[in-house]
Amino acid sequence: MPRLVFLYAEPFRGAGSTVMRGFQLADLAREQLSGHSVHVRTLGSTVRNSTVFLTKGALKLATPVQLDELVRRGNRLLFDPVDELPPGTTARFADVLVASSLTAFEEYGRAFPGTRVALVNHHVDPRLDTTQPTHDAFRAGYFGESVNAVLTPRIEETVDVIPIDTSREDAGWLGRVGDYSFHYAVRLHRELDHYKPFLKGFTAAHCGAPVLIQRDQQEAVRWLGGDYPYLIDAPVSEQQILDALTEAESDFGGPRWQRALATMAGIRARTTPQRIGEELAAAVL
């Protein structure tokens, strides 16, 4: 039976990327990849004759000596840097470079012509209640780290900020997502940002909520389409965001709102566990 081993780094055990693209993706693989024996191990474990999926944290710490040892033990290596740049060891050691976004998939293909690139879109946290409650009012929420969003006191009069610490396992926010009919995702650009998967949009889609984001976020526009109602032009200003929130609130339940919900439903259909499982299966073959 083929063995699939997710390898993580112990210092990053509680990080969001390890929890989701390590332990959770392994659980999804057990459900969706019939005929595979799936395991999760720490970096430095003895692994032989397996397909090894190195998580973002493992890639940050894995040395060339460790990677060479994995190869000599008959393993195939999949690198999953998520939203960071692929490490300098990629061309030498990666059998497959995994992209978690459409933009990364295209850029990796150009940057690493000698390495196979596979798309495995980011899944939505399976602990999230996605039964999609019926909302009777407009209520906007932002779920994430404050440093990643454009937020001001005036914006926060309309948008509730539910903080998430992605450096450690943090599930407290999950029970609050269903309270919000509109998800705020206007990003504050940071130099460390590279190829962000549209996870906030996927989360909104699985909760049956439209999302607000700026038009210069290429990954978001790839999923939403250029005619999606709640895209705002960049560079964004506080007043522009406030106007967009006011417009969305006035749209609540109306034709533009329904058009946005139809777009989100399409995204939900493209990011089901079954679809992510199919992408993972294609990557490990």
Side-chain angles (χ1 to χ4, degrees):
M1 177 180 291
R3 282 171 49 90
L4 174 60
V5 178
F6 288 81
L7 211 60
Y8 73 95
E10 192 62 37
F12 298 103
R13 183 186 182 96
S17 59
T18 300
V19 172
M20 296 192 74
R21 297 285 281 194
F23 291 97
Q24 290 182 1
L25 199 54
D27 287 340
L28 189 150
R30 293 184 185 102
E31 296 172 1
Q32 304 294 330
L33 273 64
S34 60
H36 279 76
S37 173
V38 181
H39 309 268
V40 181
R41 298 287 185 268
T42 59
L43 180 67
S45 300
T46 300
V47 182
R48 291 186 173 88
N49 303 319
S50 303
T51 296
V52 177
F53 189 104
L54 286 101
T55 61
K56 174 178 167 179
L59 288 176
K60 289 167 79 76
L61 298 185
T63 66
V65 170
Q66 289 174 311
L67 295 171
D68 185 62
E69 186 174 6
L70 285 167
V71 172
R72 287 190 293 103
R73 287 176 173 162
N75 298 297
R76 296 174 62 246
L77 305 186
L78 278 68
F79 282 20
D80 183 38
V82 192
D83 56 355
E84 294 196 348
L85 293 175
T89 53
T90 298
R92 179 180 173 189
F93 292 108
D95 293 285
V96 181
L97 178 57
V98 178
S100 62
S101 65
L102 300 170
T103 47
F105 179 73
E106 294 176 354
E107 181 56 32
Y108 291 171
R110 290 189 289 266
F112 298 92
T115 303
R116 181 184 163 212
V117 179
L119 176 65
V120 181
N121 281 297
H122 212 300
H123 66 279
V124 171
D125 197 312
R127 297 169 295 180
L128 187 67
D129 182 358
T130 58
T131 53
Q132 299 192 14
T134 301
H135 296 285
D136 57 6
F138 177 87
R139 191 177 183 195
Y142 170 73
F143 308 90
E145 295 182 321
S146 296
V147 295
N148 289 330
V150 178
L151 294 167
T152 68
R154 290 183 68 200
I155 291 170
E156 290 184 44
E157 290 176 5
T158 302
V159 178
D160 291 344
V161 176
I162 295 84
I164 302 172
D165 184 353
T166 59
S167 67
R168 60 180 181 84
E169 191 162 2
D170 178 11
W173 63 279
L174 291 165
R176 301 187 61 185
V177 180
D179 296 337
Y180 293 87
S181 58
F182 193 73
H183 288 209
Y184 182 84
V186 181
R187 291 195 59 81
L188 183 65
H189 178 73
R190 303 169 69 194
E191 290 301 320
L192 52 77
D193 291 340
H194 296 289
Y195 307 111
K196 288 281 188 183
F198 190 36
L199 183 55
K200 284 183 172 55
F202 299 165
T203 299
H206 282 252
C207 293
V211 64
L212 177 69
I213 196 166
Q214 63 264 59
R215 193 179 293 276
D216 68 347
Q217 297 297 302
Q218 296 182 30
E219 187 69 13
V221 176
R222 293 286 297 272
W223 287 89
L224 294 167
D227 61 348
Y228 173 75
Y230 305 120
L231 290 172
I232 56 178
D233 293 331
V236 297
S237 66
E238 178 188 63
Q239 190 57 53
Q240 187 181 13
I241 293 169
L242 293 171
D243 290 345
L245 289 166
T246 298
E247 184 176 42
E249 185 170 12
S250 68
D251 285 344
F252 181 77
R256 292 180 80 244
W257 185 272
Q258 295 302 324
R259 181 156 60 89
L261 287 180
T263 297
M264 303 309 286
I267 292 174
R268 175 176 175 140
R270 294 165 60 193
T271 53
T272 62
Q274 293 75 20
R275 291 288 292 271
I276 304 300
E278 290 169 2
E279 293 173 351
L280 181 60
V284 303
L285 291 178

